mmCIF file of all heavy atoms in Angstrom:
data_model
loop_
_atom_site.group_PDB
_atom_site.id
_atom_site.type_symbol
_atom_site.label_atom_id
_atom_site.label_comp_id
_atom_site.label_asym_id
_atom_site.label_seq_id
_atom_site.Cartn_x
_atom_site.Cartn_y
_atom_site.Cartn_z
ATOM 1 N N ILE A 13 10.453 9.560 -2.733
ATOM 2 C CA ILE A 13 9.249 10.336 -2.504
ATOM 3 C C ILE A 13 9.074 11.369 -3.613
ATOM 4 O O ILE A 13 10.041 12.010 -4.044
ATOM 5 C CB ILE A 13 9.274 11.035 -1.158
ATOM 6 C CG1 ILE A 13 9.341 10.021 -0.029
ATOM 7 C CG2 ILE A 13 8.057 11.982 -0.993
ATOM 8 C CD1 ILE A 13 9.593 10.672 1.341
ATOM 9 N N VAL A 14 7.810 11.475 -4.105
ATOM 10 C CA VAL A 14 7.464 12.584 -5.047
ATOM 11 C C VAL A 14 6.486 13.451 -4.302
ATOM 12 O O VAL A 14 5.314 13.176 -4.247
ATOM 13 C CB VAL A 14 6.843 11.903 -6.389
ATOM 14 C CG1 VAL A 14 6.387 13.028 -7.288
ATOM 15 C CG2 VAL A 14 7.734 10.974 -7.038
ATOM 16 N N GLU A 15 7.046 14.490 -3.781
ATOM 17 C CA GLU A 15 6.304 15.340 -2.821
ATOM 18 C C GLU A 15 5.106 16.063 -3.511
ATOM 19 O O GLU A 15 3.994 16.146 -2.956
ATOM 20 C CB GLU A 15 7.155 16.434 -2.205
ATOM 21 C CG GLU A 15 8.249 15.838 -1.246
ATOM 22 C CD GLU A 15 9.042 16.883 -0.541
ATOM 23 O OE1 GLU A 15 8.795 18.070 -0.852
ATOM 24 O OE2 GLU A 15 9.923 16.491 0.236
ATOM 25 N N GLU A 16 5.283 16.511 -4.794
ATOM 26 C CA GLU A 16 4.146 17.132 -5.478
ATOM 27 C C GLU A 16 3.088 16.240 -5.747
ATOM 28 O O GLU A 16 1.871 16.742 -6.014
ATOM 29 C CB GLU A 16 4.683 17.831 -6.734
ATOM 30 C CG GLU A 16 5.155 16.863 -7.822
ATOM 31 C CD GLU A 16 6.734 16.586 -7.683
ATOM 32 O OE1 GLU A 16 7.234 16.710 -6.560
ATOM 33 O OE2 GLU A 16 7.321 16.220 -8.726
ATOM 34 N N LYS A 17 3.226 14.952 -5.743
ATOM 35 C CA LYS A 17 2.210 13.927 -6.003
ATOM 36 C C LYS A 17 1.685 13.382 -4.619
ATOM 37 O O LYS A 17 0.850 12.486 -4.634
ATOM 38 C CB LYS A 17 2.655 12.782 -6.905
ATOM 39 C CG LYS A 17 2.991 13.346 -8.278
ATOM 40 C CD LYS A 17 1.792 13.524 -9.125
ATOM 41 C CE LYS A 17 2.165 13.723 -10.609
ATOM 42 N NZ LYS A 17 0.931 13.892 -11.470
ATOM 43 N N ASN A 18 2.310 13.745 -3.502
ATOM 44 C CA ASN A 18 1.971 13.229 -2.166
ATOM 45 C C ASN A 18 2.107 11.728 -2.146
ATOM 46 O O ASN A 18 1.294 10.919 -1.704
ATOM 47 C CB ASN A 18 0.598 13.593 -1.860
ATOM 48 C CG ASN A 18 0.340 13.594 -0.312
ATOM 49 O OD1 ASN A 18 1.281 13.449 0.480
ATOM 50 N ND2 ASN A 18 -0.916 13.596 0.114
ATOM 51 N N THR A 19 3.193 11.240 -2.882
ATOM 52 C CA THR A 19 3.278 9.784 -3.092
ATOM 53 C C THR A 19 4.711 9.285 -2.620
ATOM 54 O O THR A 19 5.727 9.922 -2.924
ATOM 55 C CB THR A 19 3.195 9.435 -4.555
ATOM 56 O OG1 THR A 19 1.926 9.862 -5.060
ATOM 57 C CG2 THR A 19 3.326 7.918 -4.797
ATOM 58 N N LYS A 20 4.728 8.258 -1.842
ATOM 59 C CA LYS A 20 5.958 7.576 -1.411
ATOM 60 C C LYS A 20 6.051 6.229 -2.012
ATOM 61 O O LYS A 20 5.076 5.458 -2.155
ATOM 62 C CB LYS A 20 5.989 7.369 0.116
ATOM 63 C CG LYS A 20 7.142 6.704 0.677
ATOM 64 C CD LYS A 20 7.088 6.630 2.167
ATOM 65 C CE LYS A 20 8.270 5.788 2.785
ATOM 66 N NZ LYS A 20 8.190 5.796 4.204
ATOM 67 N N TYR A 21 7.256 5.827 -2.544
ATOM 68 C CA TYR A 21 7.520 4.593 -3.210
ATOM 69 C C TYR A 21 8.456 3.808 -2.218
ATOM 70 O O TYR A 21 9.527 4.367 -1.898
ATOM 71 C CB TYR A 21 8.162 4.737 -4.533
ATOM 72 C CG TYR A 21 7.190 5.485 -5.492
ATOM 73 C CD1 TYR A 21 7.214 6.871 -5.650
ATOM 74 C CD2 TYR A 21 6.377 4.777 -6.324
ATOM 75 C CE1 TYR A 21 6.344 7.498 -6.482
ATOM 76 C CE2 TYR A 21 5.468 5.419 -7.249
ATOM 77 C CZ TYR A 21 5.453 6.806 -7.261
ATOM 78 O OH TYR A 21 4.631 7.487 -8.088
ATOM 79 N N LEU A 22 8.196 2.519 -2.037
ATOM 80 C CA LEU A 22 9.012 1.749 -1.204
ATOM 81 C C LEU A 22 9.285 0.420 -1.760
ATOM 82 O O LEU A 22 8.358 -0.326 -2.158
ATOM 83 C CB LEU A 22 8.208 1.532 0.211
ATOM 84 C CG LEU A 22 8.948 0.680 1.323
ATOM 85 C CD1 LEU A 22 10.225 1.333 1.723
ATOM 86 C CD2 LEU A 22 8.002 0.519 2.503
ATOM 87 N N GLY A 23 10.579 0.138 -1.893
ATOM 88 C CA GLY A 23 10.998 -1.156 -2.503
ATOM 89 C C GLY A 23 11.106 -2.271 -1.505
ATOM 90 O O GLY A 23 11.809 -2.097 -0.534
ATOM 91 N N LEU A 24 10.442 -3.391 -1.713
ATOM 92 C CA LEU A 24 10.456 -4.564 -0.797
ATOM 93 C C LEU A 24 10.328 -5.810 -1.601
ATOM 94 O O LEU A 24 10.132 -5.809 -2.817
ATOM 95 C CB LEU A 24 9.229 -4.510 0.070
ATOM 96 C CG LEU A 24 9.093 -3.249 1.033
ATOM 97 C CD1 LEU A 24 7.671 -3.380 1.628
ATOM 98 C CD2 LEU A 24 10.110 -3.254 2.148
ATOM 99 N N THR A 25 10.619 -6.985 -0.958
ATOM 100 C CA THR A 25 10.415 -8.306 -1.650
ATOM 101 C C THR A 25 8.919 -8.476 -1.732
ATOM 102 O O THR A 25 8.163 -7.798 -1.007
ATOM 103 C CB THR A 25 11.104 -9.333 -0.865
ATOM 104 O OG1 THR A 25 10.425 -9.501 0.456
ATOM 105 C CG2 THR A 25 12.610 -9.106 -0.667
ATOM 106 N N GLU A 26 8.510 -9.552 -2.455
ATOM 107 C CA GLU A 26 7.109 -9.849 -2.589
ATOM 108 C C GLU A 26 6.538 -10.128 -1.235
ATOM 109 O O GLU A 26 5.438 -9.582 -0.916
ATOM 110 C CB GLU A 26 6.784 -10.990 -3.561
ATOM 111 C CG GLU A 26 5.329 -11.210 -3.764
ATOM 112 C CD GLU A 26 5.036 -12.488 -4.527
ATOM 113 O OE1 GLU A 26 5.809 -13.436 -4.446
ATOM 114 O OE2 GLU A 26 3.998 -12.511 -5.211
ATOM 115 N N SER A 27 7.118 -11.006 -0.450
ATOM 116 C CA SER A 27 6.640 -11.377 0.887
ATOM 117 C C SER A 27 6.538 -10.168 1.780
ATOM 118 O O SER A 27 5.523 -10.068 2.609
ATOM 119 C CB SER A 27 7.375 -12.460 1.482
ATOM 120 O OG SER A 27 8.698 -12.145 1.691
ATOM 121 N N GLU A 28 7.426 -9.289 1.741
ATOM 122 C CA GLU A 28 7.378 -8.100 2.618
ATOM 123 C C GLU A 28 6.275 -7.187 2.146
ATOM 124 O O GLU A 28 5.577 -6.597 2.946
ATOM 125 C CB GLU A 28 8.738 -7.388 2.483
ATOM 126 C CG GLU A 28 9.918 -8.037 3.190
ATOM 127 C CD GLU A 28 11.262 -7.389 2.922
ATOM 128 O OE1 GLU A 28 11.443 -6.753 1.847
ATOM 129 O OE2 GLU A 28 12.195 -7.507 3.806
ATOM 130 N N MET A 29 6.088 -6.988 0.813
ATOM 131 C CA MET A 29 4.919 -6.265 0.300
ATOM 132 C C MET A 29 3.627 -6.807 0.879
ATOM 133 O O MET A 29 2.798 -6.062 1.310
ATOM 134 C CB MET A 29 4.963 -6.213 -1.162
ATOM 135 C CG MET A 29 5.975 -5.303 -1.846
ATOM 136 S SD MET A 29 5.675 -5.075 -3.593
ATOM 137 C CE MET A 29 6.253 -6.619 -4.236
ATOM 138 N N LEU A 30 3.487 -8.103 0.792
ATOM 139 C CA LEU A 30 2.193 -8.710 1.191
ATOM 140 C C LEU A 30 1.972 -8.509 2.704
ATOM 141 O O LEU A 30 0.899 -8.247 3.117
ATOM 142 C CB LEU A 30 2.218 -10.179 0.780
ATOM 143 C CG LEU A 30 2.201 -10.491 -0.722
ATOM 144 C CD1 LEU A 30 2.526 -11.887 -1.007
ATOM 145 C CD2 LEU A 30 0.829 -10.128 -1.350
ATOM 146 N N ASN A 31 3.080 -8.785 3.498
ATOM 147 C CA ASN A 31 2.846 -8.558 4.948
ATOM 148 C C ASN A 31 2.495 -7.093 5.205
ATOM 149 O O ASN A 31 1.680 -6.780 6.039
ATOM 150 C CB ASN A 31 4.174 -8.942 5.662
ATOM 151 C CG ASN A 31 4.268 -10.372 6.038
ATOM 152 O OD1 ASN A 31 3.318 -10.985 6.521
ATOM 153 N ND2 ASN A 31 5.389 -11.055 5.681
ATOM 154 N N PHE A 32 3.133 -6.103 4.551
ATOM 155 C CA PHE A 32 2.830 -4.798 4.724
ATOM 156 C C PHE A 32 1.429 -4.392 4.372
ATOM 157 O O PHE A 32 0.659 -3.704 5.113
ATOM 158 C CB PHE A 32 3.771 -3.918 3.893
ATOM 159 C CG PHE A 32 3.829 -2.477 4.206
ATOM 160 C CD1 PHE A 32 4.932 -1.869 4.872
ATOM 161 C CD2 PHE A 32 2.785 -1.650 3.869
ATOM 162 C CE1 PHE A 32 4.959 -0.543 5.159
ATOM 163 C CE2 PHE A 32 2.784 -0.290 4.202
ATOM 164 C CZ PHE A 32 3.912 0.243 4.827
ATOM 165 N N PHE A 33 0.973 -4.963 3.284
ATOM 166 C CA PHE A 33 -0.463 -4.718 2.805
ATOM 167 C C PHE A 33 -1.410 -5.227 3.824
ATOM 168 O O PHE A 33 -2.383 -4.530 4.238
ATOM 169 C CB PHE A 33 -0.683 -5.411 1.408
ATOM 170 C CG PHE A 33 -2.146 -5.290 1.064
ATOM 171 C CD1 PHE A 33 -2.713 -4.159 0.570
ATOM 172 C CD2 PHE A 33 -2.976 -6.419 1.218
ATOM 173 C CE1 PHE A 33 -4.080 -4.122 0.247
ATOM 174 C CE2 PHE A 33 -4.364 -6.427 0.936
ATOM 175 C CZ PHE A 33 -4.879 -5.188 0.423
ATOM 176 N N TRP A 34 -1.297 -6.472 4.332
ATOM 177 C CA TRP A 34 -2.276 -7.058 5.272
ATOM 178 C C TRP A 34 -2.224 -6.329 6.612
ATOM 179 O O TRP A 34 -3.240 -6.268 7.291
ATOM 180 C CB TRP A 34 -2.030 -8.512 5.421
ATOM 181 C CG TRP A 34 -2.367 -9.284 4.120
ATOM 182 C CD1 TRP A 34 -1.489 -10.004 3.356
ATOM 183 C CD2 TRP A 34 -3.664 -9.276 3.419
ATOM 184 N NE1 TRP A 34 -2.131 -10.524 2.272
ATOM 185 C CE2 TRP A 34 -3.426 -10.087 2.270
ATOM 186 C CE3 TRP A 34 -4.886 -8.741 3.718
ATOM 187 C CZ2 TRP A 34 -4.475 -10.344 1.462
ATOM 188 C CZ3 TRP A 34 -5.953 -9.074 2.838
ATOM 189 C CH2 TRP A 34 -5.704 -9.835 1.735
ATOM 190 N N ALA A 35 -1.070 -5.780 6.924
ATOM 191 C CA ALA A 35 -1.021 -4.930 8.109
ATOM 192 C C ALA A 35 -1.890 -3.697 8.036
ATOM 193 O O ALA A 35 -2.543 -3.246 8.901
ATOM 194 C CB ALA A 35 0.433 -4.567 8.554
ATOM 195 N N GLN A 36 -1.832 -3.084 6.826
ATOM 196 C CA GLN A 36 -2.635 -1.913 6.536
ATOM 197 C C GLN A 36 -4.121 -2.361 6.433
ATOM 198 O O GLN A 36 -4.971 -1.556 6.879
ATOM 199 C CB GLN A 36 -2.254 -1.248 5.249
ATOM 200 C CG GLN A 36 -0.810 -0.596 5.301
ATOM 201 C CD GLN A 36 -0.730 0.372 6.316
ATOM 202 O OE1 GLN A 36 -1.455 1.410 6.367
ATOM 203 N NE2 GLN A 36 0.276 0.227 7.218
ATOM 204 N N ALA A 37 -4.444 -3.518 5.901
ATOM 205 C CA ALA A 37 -5.752 -3.919 5.724
ATOM 206 C C ALA A 37 -6.508 -4.130 7.004
ATOM 207 O O ALA A 37 -7.661 -3.823 7.104
ATOM 208 C CB ALA A 37 -5.738 -5.273 4.945
ATOM 209 N N LYS A 38 -5.786 -4.461 8.047
ATOM 210 C CA LYS A 38 -6.420 -4.551 9.430
ATOM 211 C C LYS A 38 -6.935 -3.239 9.920
ATOM 212 O O LYS A 38 -7.928 -3.228 10.694
ATOM 213 C CB LYS A 38 -5.385 -5.128 10.409
ATOM 214 C CG LYS A 38 -5.089 -6.574 10.285
ATOM 215 C CD LYS A 38 -4.414 -7.115 11.559
ATOM 216 C CE LYS A 38 -3.078 -6.494 11.818
ATOM 217 N NZ LYS A 38 -2.346 -7.132 12.975
ATOM 218 N N LYS A 39 -6.378 -2.122 9.466
ATOM 219 C CA LYS A 39 -6.755 -0.761 9.904
ATOM 220 C C LYS A 39 -7.713 -0.098 8.934
ATOM 221 O O LYS A 39 -8.070 1.024 9.165
ATOM 222 C CB LYS A 39 -5.535 0.075 10.131
ATOM 223 C CG LYS A 39 -4.564 -0.473 11.070
ATOM 224 C CD LYS A 39 -3.250 0.400 11.201
ATOM 225 C CE LYS A 39 -2.347 0.279 10.044
ATOM 226 N NZ LYS A 39 -1.047 1.109 10.226
ATOM 227 N N THR A 40 -8.092 -0.858 7.897
ATOM 228 C CA THR A 40 -8.924 -0.223 6.827
ATOM 229 C C THR A 40 -10.399 -0.486 7.007
ATOM 230 O O THR A 40 -10.766 -1.658 7.248
ATOM 231 C CB THR A 40 -8.433 -0.732 5.445
ATOM 232 O OG1 THR A 40 -7.035 -0.409 5.268
ATOM 233 C CG2 THR A 40 -9.242 -0.134 4.331
ATOM 234 N N ASP A 41 -11.215 0.484 6.918
ATOM 235 C CA ASP A 41 -12.693 0.308 6.992
ATOM 236 C C ASP A 41 -13.216 -0.183 5.682
ATOM 237 O O ASP A 41 -14.174 -0.958 5.650
ATOM 238 C CB ASP A 41 -13.358 1.550 7.327
ATOM 239 C CG ASP A 41 -12.922 2.238 8.705
ATOM 240 O OD1 ASP A 41 -12.852 1.407 9.696
ATOM 241 O OD2 ASP A 41 -12.594 3.387 8.728
ATOM 242 N N GLN A 42 -12.619 0.275 4.553
ATOM 243 C CA GLN A 42 -13.192 -0.071 3.219
ATOM 244 C C GLN A 42 -12.075 0.067 2.288
ATOM 245 O O GLN A 42 -11.293 0.924 2.279
ATOM 246 C CB GLN A 42 -14.315 0.974 2.959
ATOM 247 C CG GLN A 42 -15.133 0.650 1.695
ATOM 248 C CD GLN A 42 -16.233 1.623 1.516
ATOM 249 O OE1 GLN A 42 -15.987 2.814 1.223
ATOM 250 N NE2 GLN A 42 -17.448 1.301 1.767
ATOM 251 N N VAL A 43 -12.080 -0.894 1.231
ATOM 252 C CA VAL A 43 -11.219 -0.797 0.122
ATOM 253 C C VAL A 43 -11.984 -0.486 -1.137
ATOM 254 O O VAL A 43 -13.181 -0.961 -1.237
ATOM 255 C CB VAL A 43 -10.326 -2.053 -0.112
ATOM 256 C CG1 VAL A 43 -9.387 -2.258 1.007
ATOM 257 C CG2 VAL A 43 -11.222 -3.257 -0.304
ATOM 258 N N ILE A 44 -11.433 0.243 -2.091
ATOM 259 C CA ILE A 44 -12.050 0.608 -3.352
ATOM 260 C C ILE A 44 -11.099 0.115 -4.429
ATOM 261 O O ILE A 44 -9.959 0.351 -4.391
ATOM 262 C CB ILE A 44 -12.274 2.081 -3.474
ATOM 263 C CG1 ILE A 44 -13.259 2.611 -2.363
ATOM 264 C CG2 ILE A 44 -12.754 2.519 -4.860
ATOM 265 C CD1 ILE A 44 -12.744 3.554 -1.420
ATOM 266 N N THR A 45 -11.749 -0.631 -5.392
ATOM 267 C CA THR A 45 -10.929 -1.214 -6.374
ATOM 268 C C THR A 45 -11.613 -1.007 -7.758
ATOM 269 O O THR A 45 -12.814 -0.600 -7.783
ATOM 270 C CB THR A 45 -10.700 -2.751 -6.226
ATOM 271 O OG1 THR A 45 -12.005 -3.411 -6.335
ATOM 272 C CG2 THR A 45 -10.095 -3.031 -4.904
ATOM 273 N N PHE A 46 -10.857 -1.381 -8.877
ATOM 274 C CA PHE A 46 -11.486 -1.386 -10.178
ATOM 275 C C PHE A 46 -11.249 -2.858 -10.656
ATOM 276 O O PHE A 46 -10.112 -3.222 -10.940
ATOM 277 C CB PHE A 46 -10.929 -0.406 -11.152
ATOM 278 C CG PHE A 46 -11.591 -0.410 -12.484
ATOM 279 C CD1 PHE A 46 -12.709 0.354 -12.723
ATOM 280 C CD2 PHE A 46 -11.096 -1.228 -13.462
ATOM 281 C CE1 PHE A 46 -13.322 0.321 -13.942
ATOM 282 C CE2 PHE A 46 -11.734 -1.226 -14.749
ATOM 283 C CZ PHE A 46 -12.854 -0.458 -14.980
ATOM 284 N N ASN A 47 -12.265 -3.644 -10.535
ATOM 285 C CA ASN A 47 -12.152 -5.100 -10.979
ATOM 286 C C ASN A 47 -11.394 -5.862 -9.794
ATOM 287 O O ASN A 47 -10.850 -6.976 -10.075
ATOM 288 C CB ASN A 47 -11.475 -5.344 -12.303
ATOM 289 C CG ASN A 47 -11.816 -6.716 -12.789
ATOM 290 O OD1 ASN A 47 -12.889 -7.305 -12.626
ATOM 291 N ND2 ASN A 47 -10.846 -7.302 -13.584
#
């Protein structure tokens, strides 16, 4: 964790990252991207 940046870093395998992301996506009203 980098507290001054309000940022947490979590190491996972690719499949674990993807599962985690889609779990968050279900709770998301809107995503913002660049390209």
Side-chain angles (χ1 to χ4, degrees):
I13 297 172
V14 180
E15 292 185 0
E16 63 270 23
K17 296 283 188 178
N18 202 14
T19 301
K20 178 179 178 179
Y21 298 88
L22 180 61
L24 301 169
T25 65
E26 184 188 29
S27 61
E28 288 171 336
M29 284 191 285
L30 293 167
N31 273 314
F32 194 108
F33 171 77
W34 293 117
Q36 294 301 305
K38 285 196 298 185
K39 300 180 285 186
T40 300
D41 301 312
Q42 187 180 70
V43 295
I44 295 118
T45 66
F46 184 87
N47 198 33

